[in-house]
Amino acid sequence: MNSESWHRIYDELAASCVHLFRDNGVELRLVEEAESEATPGNAVVSFIGFTGDHLCGSLTIVAPVPLITRCHPLRDRRELDEDMVCDWASELANQLLGRVKNRLRPLGLVVVLSTPSAAIGEHLRAREEQNEGFRRLVFDAGIDRLAVLFDARAQDTTLKLKEVITPDPQREGEVLLF
């Protein structure tokens, strides 16, 4: 995949992340240049894989537990335990990659998502990669920071994304029963 296409994917990822957290009551601001640093104290990591004809890889979210708690839909109704925080972090990874998937589909990239998972730990640090398909995005969320890691491989190194005509996908937030 060419460099311009990778940057388009990263832009779609950043916009999707800002919108997802805003929809859940947390404002994010992308930090342009941020050093990799361990999370202070208790943090949650959630991750989800994806595959497709042209692109495969994973998406990982690393965030302090209080940030995930602040955007949890039950935060005002009950005390949240670690299982509920992990479940919500997994759902955020799923929703974020789903939003990215919806934004990439009109560009000719179709991906299938795996099942998300999450864990809680102390002083977590996101790894660093040097390949073209890896990107670490860091966001300020008030007193907290959120890291999103996108690690992908493209089967075709010359692939260039372009607009294609596709039927409208499921709109974000709609429920589809099957």
Side-chain angles (χ1 to χ4, degrees):
M1 187 171 312
N2 68 17
S3 179
E4 181 182 313
S5 295
W6 282 116
H7 287 290
R8 176 73 186 264
I9 291 171
Y10 304 144
D11 290 345
E12 298 296 353
L13 174 62
S16 295
C17 192
V18 168
H19 292 133
L20 171 64
F21 278 83
R22 181 180 302 140
D23 289 348
N24 287 285
V26 174
E27 291 293 326
L28 296 181
R29 183 184 60 82
L30 181 63
V31 178
E32 294 299 327
E33 296 293 324
E35 295 294 319
S36 179
E37 55 189 43
T39 57
N42 226 9
V44 62
V45 59
S46 57
F47 41 92
I48 185 170
F50 62 92
T51 188
D53 290 342
H54 302 290
L55 195 67
C56 64
S58 64
L59 179 138
T60 304
I61 296 174
V62 182
V65 169
L67 174 57
I68 300 302
T69 301
R70 275 198 342 252
C71 67
H72 196 289
L74 298 177
R75 67 188 170 273
D76 296 330
R77 295 189 200 141
R78 60 185 295 189
E79 188 173 330
L80 304 175
D81 61 26
E82 283 189 351
D83 286 340
M84 294 172 77
V85 171
C86 282
D87 287 347
W88 182 239
S90 293
E91 181 58 25
L92 287 171
N94 187 47
Q95 286 188 28
L96 177 55
L97 191 54
R99 287 175 184 230
V100 173
K101 172 185 172 178
N102 286 344
R103 288 172 175 248
L104 295 181
R105 189 167 184 263
L107 301 174
L109 282 181
V110 177
V111 296
V112 177
L113 283 55
S114 69
T115 303
S117 191
I120 289 181
E122 291 197 18
H123 307 289
L124 300 176
R125 179 185 299 272
R127 67 185 174 86
E128 294 295 317
E129 289 289 330
Q130 298 301 318
N131 65 47
E132 189 175 32
F134 180 86
R135 180 62 55 103
R136 177 177 56 93
L137 301 174
V138 177
F139 299 88
D140 272 334
I143 61 171
D144 295 313
R145 278 212 166 165
L146 169 80
V148 176
L149 293 85
F150 187 80
D151 189 6
R153 289 167 304 290
Q155 277 70 348
D156 181 357
T157 57
T158 62
L159 181 67
K160 181 177 170 119
L161 298 180
K162 59 181 184 256
E163 300 285 334
V164 296
I165 298 172
T166 60
D168 286 338
Q170 179 94 12
R171 288 187 319 199
E172 291 171 6
E174 280 189 353
V175 175
L176 177 62
L177 301 176
F178 52 93

